[in-house]
Amino acid sequence: MLGKHRCLVDKHGSYVDWKNALYREYEKSGAHALIGKFHDNRASFACDQYKKLTGKPAPVVAGRRLVSKEKDKAAREVLSKFLGHSRISVAAQYVGSAQ
């Protein structure tokens, strides 16, 4: 933690350096072989949460949207906050198109 701010990067470092070091350690630890890529895990989490929120599989799993546009949008709003993006357009990268 850096001062009062919640930050994993020390005051002399950069986010890119921190992220690259984290990824190197992740690869060296063997975790990547066991649990896969970060994005894949986030997508799996998002799809699981989408199903909990809507009662139906995510469009990327089902091949199409199976819930109303309103229910889909509400789920994407929740997911965008879960994933830390606060933009529902980013949720499409994890759960598929809203079409």
Coordinates of all heavy atoms in Angstrom, one line a residue:
M1 N 0.8 -1.2 0.0 CA 0.0 0.0 0.0 C 0.9 1.2 0.0 O 1.9 1.3 0.7 CB -0.9 0.0 1.2 CG -2.1 0.9 1.0 SD -3.3 0.8 2.3 CE -3.9 -0.8 2.2
L2 N 0.5 2.2 -0.7 CA 1.3 3.4 -0.9 C 0.5 4.6 -0.2 O -0.5 5.1 -0.7 CB 1.5 3.7 -2.4 CG 2.3 5.0 -2.7 CD1 3.7 4.8 -2.2 CD2 2.3 5.1 -4.2
G3 N 1.0 5.0 1.0 CA 0.4 6.1 1.7 C -1.1 5.7 2.0 O -1.4 4.6 2.4
K4 N -2.0 6.7 1.8 CA -3.4 6.4 2.0 C -4.1 5.7 0.8 O -5.2 5.3 0.9 CB -4.1 7.8 2.3 CG -3.7 8.5 3.5 CD -4.4 9.8 3.7 CE -3.9 10.5 4.9 NZ -4.6 11.8 5.1
H5 N -3.4 5.6 -0.3 CA -3.9 5.1 -1.5 C -3.7 3.6 -1.5 O -2.7 3.0 -1.1 CB -3.3 5.7 -2.7 CG -3.4 7.2 -2.8 ND1 -4.6 7.8 -3.0 CD2 -2.6 8.2 -2.5 CE1 -4.5 9.1 -3.0 NE2 -3.2 9.4 -2.6
R6 N -4.7 2.9 -2.1 CA -4.6 1.4 -2.3 C -3.9 1.2 -3.6 O -4.5 1.1 -4.6 CB -6.0 0.8 -2.2 CG -6.7 1.1 -0.9 CD -8.1 0.5 -1.0 NE -8.0 -0.9 -1.3 CZ -8.8 -1.8 -0.7 NH1 -9.8 -1.4 0.0 NH2 -8.6 -3.1 -1.0
C7 N -2.6 1.0 -3.5 CA -1.8 0.8 -4.7 C -0.7 -0.3 -4.5 O -0.1 -0.3 -3.5 CB -1.1 2.2 -5.1 SG -0.2 2.1 -6.6
L8 N -0.6 -1.2 -5.5 CA 0.4 -2.2 -5.3 C 1.8 -1.8 -5.9 O 2.7 -2.5 -5.8 CB -0.1 -3.5 -6.1 CG -1.3 -4.1 -5.5 CD1 -1.9 -5.2 -6.3 CD2 -1.1 -4.6 -4.1
V9 N 1.8 -0.7 -6.6 CA 3.0 -0.2 -7.2 C 3.7 0.8 -6.3 O 3.1 1.7 -5.8 CB 2.7 0.5 -8.6 CG1 4.0 0.9 -9.3 CG2 1.9 -0.5 -9.5
D10 N 5.0 0.5 -6.0 CA 5.7 1.5 -5.1 C 5.9 2.8 -5.8 O 5.7 3.0 -7.0 CB 7.0 0.9 -4.6 CG 8.1 0.8 -5.7 OD1 8.2 1.7 -6.6 OD2 8.9 -0.1 -5.6
K11 N 6.2 3.8 -5.1 CA 6.3 5.2 -5.6 C 7.4 5.4 -6.7 O 7.4 6.4 -7.4 CB 6.4 6.2 -4.5 CG 7.6 6.1 -3.7 CD 7.6 7.1 -2.5 CE 8.8 6.8 -1.6 NZ 8.7 7.7 -0.4
H12 N 8.3 4.5 -6.8 CA 9.4 4.6 -7.8 C 9.2 3.7 -9.0 O 10.0 3.7 -9.9 CB 10.7 4.3 -7.1 CG 11.0 5.2 -5.9 ND1 11.3 6.5 -6.1 CD2 11.1 4.9 -4.6 CE1 11.5 7.1 -4.9 NE2 11.4 6.1 -4.0
G13 N 8.1 2.9 -9.0 CA 7.9 1.9 -10.0 C 6.8 2.4 -11.0 O 6.3 3.5 -10.9
S14 N 6.5 1.5 -11.9 CA 5.4 1.8 -12.9 C 4.5 0.6 -12.9 O 4.9 -0.5 -12.6 CB 6.0 2.1 -14.3 OG 6.4 0.9 -14.9
Y15 N 3.3 0.8 -13.3 CA 2.3 -0.3 -13.4 C 2.8 -1.3 -14.4 O 2.7 -2.5 -14.1 CB 1.0 0.2 -13.9 CG 0.0 -0.9 -14.2 CD1 -0.6 -1.7 -13.2 CD2 -0.2 -1.2 -15.5 CE1 -1.4 -2.7 -13.5 CE2 -1.1 -2.3 -15.9 CZ -1.7 -3.0 -14.8 OH -2.5 -4.1 -15.2
V16 N 3.4 -0.9 -15.5 CA 3.8 -1.9 -16.5 C 4.9 -2.8 -15.9 O 4.9 -4.0 -16.1 CB 4.3 -1.2 -17.8 CG1 5.0 -2.1 -18.8 CG2 3.2 -0.4 -18.5
D17 N 5.9 -2.2 -15.2 CA 7.0 -3.0 -14.6 C 6.4 -4.0 -13.6 O 6.8 -5.1 -13.5 CB 8.0 -2.1 -13.9 CG 8.8 -1.3 -14.9 OD1 8.8 -1.7 -16.1 OD2 9.4 -0.3 -14.5
W18 N 5.4 -3.5 -12.8 CA 4.8 -4.3 -11.8 C 4.1 -5.5 -12.4 O 4.2 -6.6 -12.0 CB 3.9 -3.5 -10.9 CG 3.1 -4.3 -9.9 CD1 3.5 -4.7 -8.7 CD2 1.8 -4.8 -10.1 NE1 2.5 -5.5 -8.1 CE2 1.4 -5.6 -9.0 CE3 0.8 -4.7 -11.2 CZ2 0.2 -6.2 -8.8 CZ3 -0.4 -5.4 -11.0 CH2 -0.7 -6.1 -9.8
K19 N 3.3 -5.2 -13.4 CA 2.5 -6.2 -14.1 C 3.4 -7.2 -14.8 O 3.1 -8.4 -14.7 CB 1.6 -5.6 -15.2 CG 0.7 -6.6 -15.9 CD -0.1 -5.9 -17.0 CE 0.9 -5.6 -18.1 NZ 0.5 -5.6 -19.5
N20 N 4.4 -6.8 -15.5 CA 5.3 -7.7 -16.1 C 6.0 -8.6 -15.1 O 6.2 -9.8 -15.4 CB 6.4 -7.0 -17.0 CG 5.7 -6.4 -18.2 OD1 4.6 -6.8 -18.6 ND2 6.4 -5.4 -18.8
A21 N 6.4 -8.1 -14.0 CA 7.1 -8.9 -12.9 C 6.0 -9.9 -12.4 O 6.4 -11.1 -12.2 CB 7.6 -8.0 -11.8
L22 N 4.8 -9.5 -12.2 CA 3.8 -10.4 -11.7 C 3.6 -11.5 -12.7 O 3.5 -12.7 -12.3 CB 2.5 -9.6 -11.5 CG 1.3 -10.5 -11.1 CD1 1.4 -11.0 -9.7 CD2 0.0 -9.7 -11.3
Y23 N 3.4 -11.2 -14.0 CA 3.2 -12.3 -15.0 C 4.4 -13.2 -15.1 O 4.2 -14.4 -15.2 CB 3.0 -11.6 -16.3 CG 1.6 -11.1 -16.5 CD1 0.7 -10.8 -15.5 CD2 1.0 -10.9 -17.8 CE1 -0.5 -10.3 -15.6 CE2 -0.3 -10.4 -18.0 CZ -1.0 -10.1 -16.9 OH -2.3 -9.7 -17.1
R24 N 5.6 -12.7 -14.9 CA 6.8 -13.6 -15.0 C 6.8 -14.6 -13.8 O 7.0 -15.8 -14.0 CB 8.1 -12.8 -14.9 CG 8.6 -12.2 -16.2 CD 10.0 -11.7 -16.2 NE 10.2 -10.6 -15.2 CZ 9.9 -9.4 -15.4 NH1 9.4 -8.9 -16.5 NH2 10.1 -8.5 -14.4
E25 N 6.5 -14.1 -12.6 CA 6.4 -14.9 -11.4 C 5.2 -15.9 -11.6 O 5.4 -17.1 -11.2 CB 6.2 -14.1 -10.1 CG 7.4 -13.3 -9.7 CD 8.6 -14.2 -9.5 OE1 8.4 -15.3 -8.8 OE2 9.7 -13.9 -9.9
Y26 N 4.1 -15.5 -12.1 CA 3.0 -16.4 -12.4 C 3.4 -17.6 -13.3 O 3.1 -18.7 -13.0 CB 1.9 -15.6 -13.0 CG 0.6 -16.4 -13.2 CD1 -0.2 -16.8 -12.2 CD2 0.2 -16.6 -14.5 CE1 -1.4 -17.5 -12.4 CE2 -1.0 -17.3 -14.8 CZ -1.8 -17.8 -13.7 OH -2.9 -18.5 -14.0
E27 N 4.1 -17.2 -14.4 CA 4.6 -18.3 -15.3 C 5.6 -19.2 -14.6 O 5.5 -20.4 -14.7 CB 5.3 -17.6 -16.5 CG 4.3 -16.9 -17.4 CD 3.5 -17.9 -18.2 OE1 3.9 -19.0 -18.5 OE2 2.3 -17.5 -18.6
K28 N 6.6 -18.6 -13.9 CA 7.6 -19.4 -13.2 C 7.0 -20.3 -12.2 O 7.5 -21.4 -11.9 CB 8.7 -18.5 -12.6 CG 9.6 -17.9 -13.6 CD 10.8 -17.2 -13.1 CE 10.8 -16.7 -11.7 NZ 11.9 -15.8 -11.3
S29 N 5.9 -19.9 -11.5 CA 5.4 -20.7 -10.4 C 4.7 -22.0 -10.9 O 4.4 -22.9 -10.2 CB 4.4 -19.9 -9.7 OG 3.2 -19.7 -10.4
G30 N 4.4 -22.0 -12.2 CA 3.6 -23.2 -12.8 C 2.1 -23.0 -12.7 O 1.4 -23.9 -13.2
A31 N 1.7 -21.9 -12.1 CA 0.2 -21.7 -11.9 C -0.5 -21.6 -13.3 O -1.6 -22.1 -13.5 CB -0.1 -20.5 -11.1
H32 N 0.2 -21.0 -14.3 CA -0.4 -20.8 -15.6 C -0.8 -22.2 -16.2 O -1.8 -22.3 -16.8 CB 0.6 -20.1 -16.5 CG 0.1 -19.9 -17.9 ND1 0.3 -20.8 -18.9 CD2 -0.7 -18.9 -18.4 CE1 -0.2 -20.3 -20.0 NE2 -0.9 -19.2 -19.7
A33 N 0.1 -23.2 -16.0 CA -0.2 -24.5 -16.5 C -1.4 -25.2 -15.8 O -2.2 -25.9 -16.4 CB 1.0 -25.4 -16.4
L34 N -1.6 -24.8 -14.6 CA -2.7 -25.4 -13.8 C -4.1 -24.6 -14.0 O -5.1 -25.3 -14.0 CB -2.4 -25.4 -12.3 CG -1.2 -26.3 -11.9 CD1 -0.8 -26.0 -10.5 CD2 -1.5 -27.7 -12.1
I35 N -4.0 -23.3 -14.0 CA -5.3 -22.5 -14.0 C -5.4 -21.6 -15.2 O -6.5 -21.0 -15.3 CB -5.5 -21.8 -12.7 CG1 -4.3 -20.8 -12.4 CG2 -5.6 -22.7 -11.5 CD1 -4.5 -19.9 -11.2
G36 N -4.5 -21.5 -16.1 CA -4.6 -20.8 -17.3 C -4.3 -19.3 -17.2 O -3.8 -18.8 -16.2
K37 N -4.8 -18.6 -18.2 CA -4.5 -17.2 -18.3 C -5.5 -16.4 -17.4 O -6.6 -16.8 -17.2 CB -4.7 -16.7 -19.8 CG -3.7 -17.3 -20.7 CD -4.0 -16.9 -22.1 CE -3.1 -17.5 -23.1 NZ -3.4 -17.0 -24.5
F38 N -5.1 -15.2 -17.0 CA -5.9 -14.3 -16.2 C -7.2 -14.0 -16.9 O -8.3 -14.0 -16.4 CB -5.2 -13.0 -15.9 CG -4.1 -13.2 -14.9 CD1 -2.8 -12.9 -15.2 CD2 -4.3 -13.7 -13.6 CE1 -1.8 -13.0 -14.3 CE2 -3.3 -13.8 -12.7 CZ -2.0 -13.5 -13.0
H39 N -7.1 -13.6 -18.2 CA -8.3 -13.2 -19.0 C -9.3 -14.4 -19.1 O -10.5 -14.2 -18.9 CB -8.0 -12.7 -20.4 CG -9.1 -12.2 -21.1 ND1 -10.0 -12.9 -21.9 CD2 -9.6 -10.9 -21.2 CE1 -10.9 -12.2 -22.4 NE2 -10.7 -10.9 -22.0
D40 N -8.8 -15.6 -19.3 CA -9.7 -16.8 -19.3 C -10.4 -17.0 -18.0 O -11.6 -17.3 -18.0 CB -8.9 -18.0 -19.7 CG -8.3 -17.9 -21.1 OD1 -8.7 -17.1 -21.9 OD2 -7.4 -18.8 -21.4
N41 N -9.7 -16.8 -16.9 CA -10.3 -17.0 -15.6 C -11.4 -15.9 -15.3 O -12.4 -16.1 -14.8 CB -9.3 -17.0 -14.5 CG -8.5 -18.3 -14.5 OD1 -9.1 -19.3 -14.4 ND2 -7.2 -18.1 -14.6
R42 N -11.1 -14.7 -15.8 CA -12.1 -13.6 -15.6 C -13.3 -13.8 -16.5 O -14.4 -13.6 -16.0 CB -11.4 -12.2 -16.0 CG -10.4 -11.7 -15.0 CD -9.7 -10.5 -15.4 NE -10.5 -9.3 -15.7 CZ -11.0 -8.5 -14.8 NH1 -10.6 -8.7 -13.5 NH2 -11.7 -7.5 -15.1
A43 N -13.1 -14.4 -17.7 CA -14.2 -14.7 -18.5 C -15.1 -15.8 -17.9 O -16.3 -15.7 -17.9 CB -13.7 -15.1 -19.9
S44 N -14.4 -16.8 -17.4 CA -15.2 -17.9 -16.7 C -16.0 -17.3 -15.5 O -17.2 -17.7 -15.3 CB -14.2 -19.0 -16.2 OG -14.9 -20.0 -15.6
F45 N -15.4 -16.5 -14.7 CA -16.0 -15.9 -13.6 C -17.2 -15.1 -14.1 O -18.3 -15.2 -13.5 CB -15.1 -15.0 -12.8 CG -15.7 -14.1 -11.8 CD1 -16.1 -14.6 -10.6 CD2 -16.0 -12.8 -12.1 CE1 -16.7 -13.8 -9.6 CE2 -16.6 -11.9 -11.2 CZ -17.0 -12.4 -9.9
A46 N -17.0 -14.3 -15.1 CA -18.1 -13.4 -15.6 C -19.3 -14.3 -16.1 O -20.4 -13.9 -15.9 CB -17.6 -12.5 -16.8
C47 N -19.0 -15.4 -16.8 CA -20.0 -16.2 -17.3 C -20.8 -16.9 -16.2 O -22.0 -17.0 -16.3 CB -19.5 -17.3 -18.3 SG -18.9 -16.6 -19.9
D48 N -20.1 -17.3 -15.2 CA -20.7 -17.9 -14.0 C -21.6 -16.9 -13.3 O -22.8 -17.2 -12.9 CB -19.7 -18.4 -13.0 CG -19.0 -19.6 -13.4 OD1 -19.4 -20.3 -14.4 OD2 -18.0 -20.0 -12.8
Q49 N -21.2 -15.6 -13.2 CA -22.0 -14.6 -12.5 C -23.2 -14.2 -13.4 O -24.2 -14.0 -12.9 CB -21.1 -13.4 -12.3 CG -20.0 -13.6 -11.2 CD -20.6 -14.0 -9.9 OE1 -21.6 -13.4 -9.4 NE2 -20.1 -15.1 -9.4
Y50 N -23.0 -14.2 -14.7 CA -24.1 -13.9 -15.6 C -25.2 -14.9 -15.4 O -26.4 -14.5 -15.3 CB -23.6 -13.9 -17.1 CG -24.6 -13.5 -18.1 CD1 -24.7 -12.2 -18.6 CD2 -25.5 -14.4 -18.6 CE1 -25.6 -11.8 -19.5 CE2 -26.5 -14.0 -19.6 CZ -26.5 -12.7 -20.0 OH -27.5 -12.3 -20.9
K51 N -24.8 -16.2 -15.4 CA -25.8 -17.2 -15.2 C -26.5 -17.1 -13.8 O -27.8 -17.2 -13.7 CB -25.2 -18.6 -15.3 CG -26.2 -19.7 -15.3 CD -25.6 -21.0 -15.6 CE -26.8 -22.1 -15.7 NZ -26.2 -23.4 -16.1
K52 N -25.8 -16.7 -12.8 CA -26.4 -16.5 -11.4 C -27.4 -15.3 -11.5 O -28.4 -15.3 -10.9 CB -25.3 -16.2 -10.4 CG -24.6 -17.5 -10.0 CD -23.5 -17.2 -9.0 CE -22.7 -18.4 -8.7 NZ -21.6 -18.2 -7.7
L53 N -27.0 -14.3 -12.2 CA -27.8 -13.0 -12.3 C -29.1 -13.2 -13.2 O -30.1 -12.6 -12.9 CB -27.0 -11.9 -12.8 CG -25.9 -11.4 -11.9 CD1 -24.9 -10.5 -12.6 CD2 -26.4 -10.7 -10.7
T54 N -28.9 -14.0 -14.2 CA -30.0 -14.1 -15.2 C -30.8 -15.4 -15.2 O -31.9 -15.5 -15.7 CB -29.5 -13.8 -16.6 OG1 -28.7 -14.9 -17.0 CG2 -28.8 -12.5 -16.8
G55 N -30.1 -16.4 -14.6 CA -30.7 -17.8 -14.7 C -30.5 -18.5 -16.0 O -30.9 -19.6 -16.2
K56 N -29.8 -17.9 -16.9 CA -29.5 -18.5 -18.2 C -28.0 -18.3 -18.5 O -27.3 -17.4 -18.0 CB -30.2 -17.7 -19.3 CG -31.7 -17.8 -19.2 CD -32.3 -19.2 -19.5 CE -33.8 -19.2 -19.4 NZ -34.4 -20.5 -19.6
P57 N -27.5 -19.2 -19.4 CA -26.0 -19.1 -19.7 C -25.7 -17.8 -20.5 O -26.6 -17.3 -21.2 CB -25.8 -20.3 -20.6 CG -27.0 -21.1 -20.8 CD -28.1 -20.4 -20.0
A58 N -24.5 -17.4 -20.4 CA -24.0 -16.2 -21.1 C -24.1 -16.4 -22.6 O -24.0 -17.6 -23.1 CB -22.6 -15.9 -20.7
P59 N -24.3 -15.4 -23.4 CA -24.4 -15.5 -24.8 C -23.2 -16.2 -25.5 O -23.4 -17.0 -26.4 CB -24.5 -14.1 -25.3 CG -25.2 -13.4 -24.2 CD -24.6 -14.0 -23.0
V60 N -22.1 -16.0 -24.9 CA -20.9 -16.7 -25.5 C -20.9 -18.2 -25.3 O -20.4 -19.0 -26.1 CB -19.6 -16.1 -24.9 CG1 -19.4 -16.5 -23.5 CG2 -18.4 -16.5 -25.7
V61 N -21.6 -18.6 -24.3 CA -21.8 -20.1 -24.0 C -23.0 -20.6 -24.8 O -22.9 -21.7 -25.4 CB -22.0 -20.3 -22.5 CG1 -22.3 -21.8 -22.2 CG2 -20.8 -19.9 -21.7
A62 N -24.1 -19.9 -24.8 CA -25.3 -20.4 -25.4 C -25.3 -20.2 -26.9 O -26.1 -20.8 -27.6 CB -26.5 -19.7 -24.8
G63 N -24.5 -19.3 -27.4 CA -24.5 -19.0 -28.8 C -25.4 -17.8 -29.2 O -25.4 -17.3 -30.3
R64 N -26.2 -17.4 -28.3 CA -27.1 -16.2 -28.5 C -27.6 -15.8 -27.1 O -27.5 -16.5 -26.1 CB -28.2 -16.5 -29.4 CG -29.1 -17.6 -28.9 CD -30.2 -18.0 -30.0 NE -31.0 -19.1 -29.5 CZ -32.1 -18.9 -28.8 NH1 -32.6 -17.7 -28.5 NH2 -32.8 -20.0 -28.5
R65 N -28.2 -14.6 -27.1 CA -28.8 -14.1 -25.8 C -30.1 -14.8 -25.6 O -31.0 -14.9 -26.5 CB -29.0 -12.6 -26.0 CG -29.6 -11.9 -24.7 CD -29.7 -10.4 -24.8 NE -30.2 -9.9 -26.1 CZ -31.5 -9.8 -26.4 NH1 -32.4 -10.2 -25.6 NH2 -31.8 -9.3 -27.6
L66 N -30.3 -15.3 -24.4 CA -31.5 -16.1 -24.0 C -32.4 -15.3 -23.1 O -33.4 -15.9 -22.7 CB -31.1 -17.4 -23.4 CG -30.3 -18.4 -24.3 CD1 -29.9 -19.6 -23.5 CD2 -31.0 -18.7 -25.5
V67 N -32.0 -14.1 -22.7 CA -32.9 -13.3 -21.7 C -33.3 -12.0 -22.4 O -32.7 -11.7 -23.5 CB -32.1 -13.1 -20.4 CG1 -31.8 -14.4 -19.7 CG2 -30.9 -12.3 -20.6
S68 N -34.2 -11.3 -21.8 CA -34.6 -10.0 -22.4 C -33.5 -9.1 -22.4 O -32.5 -9.2 -21.6 CB -35.8 -9.5 -21.5 OG -35.3 -9.1 -20.3
K69 N -33.6 -8.0 -23.3 CA -32.5 -7.0 -23.3 C -32.4 -6.3 -22.0 O -31.3 -6.0 -21.6 CB -32.8 -6.0 -24.4 CG -32.6 -6.5 -25.8 CD -32.7 -5.4 -26.9 CE -32.4 -5.9 -28.2 NZ -32.4 -4.9 -29.2
E70 N -33.5 -6.1 -21.3 CA -33.4 -5.4 -20.0 C -32.7 -6.2 -19.0 O -31.8 -5.7 -18.3 CB -34.8 -5.1 -19.5 CG -35.6 -4.1 -20.4 CD -36.2 -4.7 -21.7 OE1 -36.3 -6.0 -21.8 OE2 -36.5 -3.9 -22.6
K71 N -33.0 -7.5 -18.9 CA -32.3 -8.4 -17.9 C -30.8 -8.5 -18.3 O -29.9 -8.5 -17.4 CB -33.0 -9.7 -17.9 CG -32.7 -10.6 -16.7 CD -33.6 -11.8 -16.6 CE -33.6 -12.4 -15.3 NZ -34.5 -13.5 -15.1
D72 N -30.5 -8.6 -19.6 CA -29.1 -8.7 -20.0 C -28.3 -7.5 -19.7 O -27.2 -7.6 -19.1 CB -29.1 -8.9 -21.6 CG -27.7 -9.0 -22.1 OD1 -27.1 -10.1 -22.0 OD2 -27.2 -8.0 -22.7
K73 N -28.9 -6.3 -19.9 CA -28.3 -5.0 -19.6 C -28.0 -4.9 -18.1 O -26.9 -4.5 -17.7 CB -29.1 -3.8 -20.1 CG -28.3 -2.5 -19.9 CD -29.1 -1.4 -20.4 CE -28.4 -0.1 -20.1 NZ -29.1 1.1 -20.5
A74 N -29.0 -5.3 -17.3 CA -28.8 -5.2 -15.8 C -27.7 -6.1 -15.4 O -26.9 -5.7 -14.5 CB -30.1 -5.6 -15.1
A75 N -27.6 -7.3 -15.9 CA -26.5 -8.2 -15.6 C -25.2 -7.7 -16.0 O -24.2 -7.8 -15.2 CB -26.8 -9.6 -16.2
R76 N -25.1 -7.1 -17.2 CA -23.8 -6.5 -17.7 C -23.4 -5.3 -16.8 O -22.2 -5.1 -16.6 CB -24.0 -6.1 -19.1 CG -24.0 -7.3 -20.0 CD -24.4 -6.9 -21.5 NE -24.7 -8.1 -22.3 CZ -23.7 -8.7 -23.0 NH1 -22.5 -8.2 -23.0 NH2 -24.0 -9.8 -23.7
E77 N -24.4 -4.6 -16.3 CA -24.0 -3.4 -15.4 C -23.4 -4.0 -14.1 O -22.4 -3.4 -13.7 CB -25.2 -2.6 -15.1 CG -25.6 -1.7 -16.3 CD -27.0 -1.0 -16.1 OE1 -27.7 -1.2 -15.1 OE2 -27.3 -0.2 -17.0
V78 N -23.9 -5.0 -13.6 CA -23.4 -5.6 -12.4 C -22.0 -6.2 -12.7 O -21.1 -6.0 -11.9 CB -24.3 -6.7 -11.8 CG1 -23.7 -7.5 -10.7 CG2 -25.6 -6.1 -11.3
L79 N -21.9 -6.9 -13.8 CA -20.6 -7.6 -14.1 C -19.5 -6.5 -14.4 O -18.4 -6.7 -14.0 CB -20.8 -8.4 -15.4 CG -21.5 -9.7 -15.2 CD1 -21.8 -10.4 -16.6 CD2 -20.8 -10.7 -14.3
S80 N -19.9 -5.4 -15.0 CA -18.9 -4.4 -15.2 C -18.3 -3.9 -13.9 O -17.1 -3.6 -13.9 CB -19.4 -3.3 -16.1 OG -20.4 -2.5 -15.4
K81 N -19.1 -3.8 -12.9 CA -18.6 -3.3 -11.6 C -17.8 -4.4 -11.0 O -16.7 -4.2 -10.4 CB -19.8 -2.9 -10.7 CG -20.4 -1.6 -11.2 CD -21.5 -1.2 -10.3 CE -22.1 0.1 -10.8 NZ -23.2 0.0 -11.7
F82 N -18.2 -5.7 -11.0 CA -17.5 -6.8 -10.5 C -16.1 -6.9 -11.1 O -15.1 -7.2 -10.4 CB -18.2 -8.2 -10.8 CG -19.3 -8.6 -9.9 CD1 -20.1 -9.6 -10.3 CD2 -19.5 -8.0 -8.7 CE1 -21.1 -10.0 -9.5 CE2 -20.5 -8.4 -7.9 CZ -21.4 -9.4 -8.3
L83 N -16.0 -6.6 -12.4 CA -14.7 -6.8 -13.1 C -13.9 -5.5 -13.1 O -12.8 -5.5 -13.5 CB -15.0 -7.1 -14.6 CG -15.7 -8.5 -14.8 CD1 -16.2 -8.6 -16.2 CD2 -14.8 -9.6 -14.4
G84 N -14.4 -4.4 -12.5 CA -13.7 -3.2 -12.2 C -13.6 -2.3 -13.4 O -12.7 -1.4 -13.4
H85 N -14.4 -2.5 -14.4 CA -14.4 -1.6 -15.6 C -15.4 -0.5 -15.5 O -15.2 0.6 -16.1 CB -14.6 -2.4 -16.9 CG -13.5 -3.4 -17.1 ND1 -12.2 -3.0 -17.5 CD2 -13.5 -4.7 -17.1 CE1 -11.5 -4.1 -17.7 NE2 -12.2 -5.1 -17.4
S86 N -16.5 -0.8 -14.9 CA -17.6 0.2 -14.9 C -18.1 0.7 -16.2 O -18.7 1.7 -16.4 CB -17.3 1.4 -14.0 OG -17.0 1.0 -12.7
R87 N -17.9 -0.2 -17.3 CA -18.4 0.1 -18.6 C -19.0 -1.2 -19.1 O -18.3 -2.2 -19.2 CB -17.4 0.6 -19.6 CG -16.8 1.9 -19.2 CD -15.8 2.4 -20.3 NE -15.0 1.5 -21.0 CZ -13.8 1.1 -20.7 NH1 -13.2 1.6 -19.6 NH2 -13.1 0.2 -21.4
I88 N -20.3 -1.2 -19.4 CA -21.0 -2.5 -19.8 C -20.4 -3.0 -21.2 O -20.5 -4.1 -21.4 CB -22.5 -2.4 -19.8 CG1 -23.0 -1.4 -20.8 CG2 -23.0 -2.2 -18.4 CD1 -24.6 -1.5 -20.9
S89 N -19.9 -2.1 -22.0 CA -19.4 -2.5 -23.3 C -18.2 -3.5 -23.1 O -18.0 -4.4 -23.9 CB -18.9 -1.3 -24.1 OG -17.9 -0.6 -23.4
V90 N -17.5 -3.4 -22.0 CA -16.3 -4.3 -21.7 C -16.8 -5.7 -21.4 O -16.2 -6.6 -21.7 CB -15.4 -3.7 -20.6 CG1 -14.3 -4.6 -20.3 CG2 -14.9 -2.3 -21.0
A91 N -18.0 -5.8 -20.8 CA -18.5 -7.1 -20.4 C -18.7 -8.0 -21.6 O -18.6 -9.2 -21.5 CB -19.9 -6.9 -19.7
A92 N -18.9 -7.4 -22.8 CA -19.1 -8.2 -24.0 C -17.8 -9.1 -24.3 O -17.9 -10.1 -24.8 CB -19.4 -7.3 -25.2
Q93 N -16.7 -8.6 -23.9 CA -15.5 -9.3 -24.1 C -15.4 -10.6 -23.3 O -14.8 -11.6 -23.6 CB -14.2 -8.5 -23.8 CG -14.0 -7.3 -24.7 CD -12.8 -6.5 -24.3 OE1 -12.1 -6.8 -23.3 NE2 -12.6 -5.4 -25.0
Y94 N -16.2 -10.6 -22.2 CA -16.2 -11.8 -21.3 C -17.4 -12.7 -21.5 O -17.3 -13.9 -21.4 CB -16.2 -11.3 -19.9 CG -14.9 -10.5 -19.5 CD1 -14.9 -9.2 -19.4 CD2 -13.7 -11.2 -19.3 CE1 -13.8 -8.5 -19.1 CE2 -12.6 -10.5 -19.0 CZ -12.6 -9.1 -18.9 OH -11.5 -8.5 -18.6
V95 N -18.6 -12.1 -21.8 CA -19.8 -12.9 -21.8 C -20.5 -12.9 -23.2 O -21.4 -13.7 -23.4 CB -20.9 -12.4 -20.8 CG1 -20.4 -12.5 -19.4 CG2 -21.4 -11.0 -21.1
G96 N -19.9 -12.2 -24.2 CA -20.4 -12.3 -25.5 C -21.3 -11.1 -25.9 O -21.7 -10.3 -25.0
S97 N -21.7 -11.1 -27.1 CA -22.5 -10.0 -27.6 C -23.9 -10.0 -27.0 O -24.5 -11.0 -26.7 CB -22.7 -10.1 -29.1 OG -23.6 -9.2 -29.7
A98 N -24.5 -8.8 -26.9 CA -25.9 -8.7 -26.4 C -26.9 -8.8 -27.5 O -28.1 -8.8 -27.2 CB -26.0 -7.3 -25.7
Q99 N -26.5 -9.0 -28.7 CA -27.4 -9.1 -29.9 C -28.3 -10.3 -29.8 O -28.0 -11.4 -29.3 CB -26.6 -9.1 -31.2 CG -25.8 -7.9 -31.4 CD -26.7 -6.6 -31.4 OE1 -27.8 -6.6 -32.0 NE2 -26.2 -5.5 -30.8

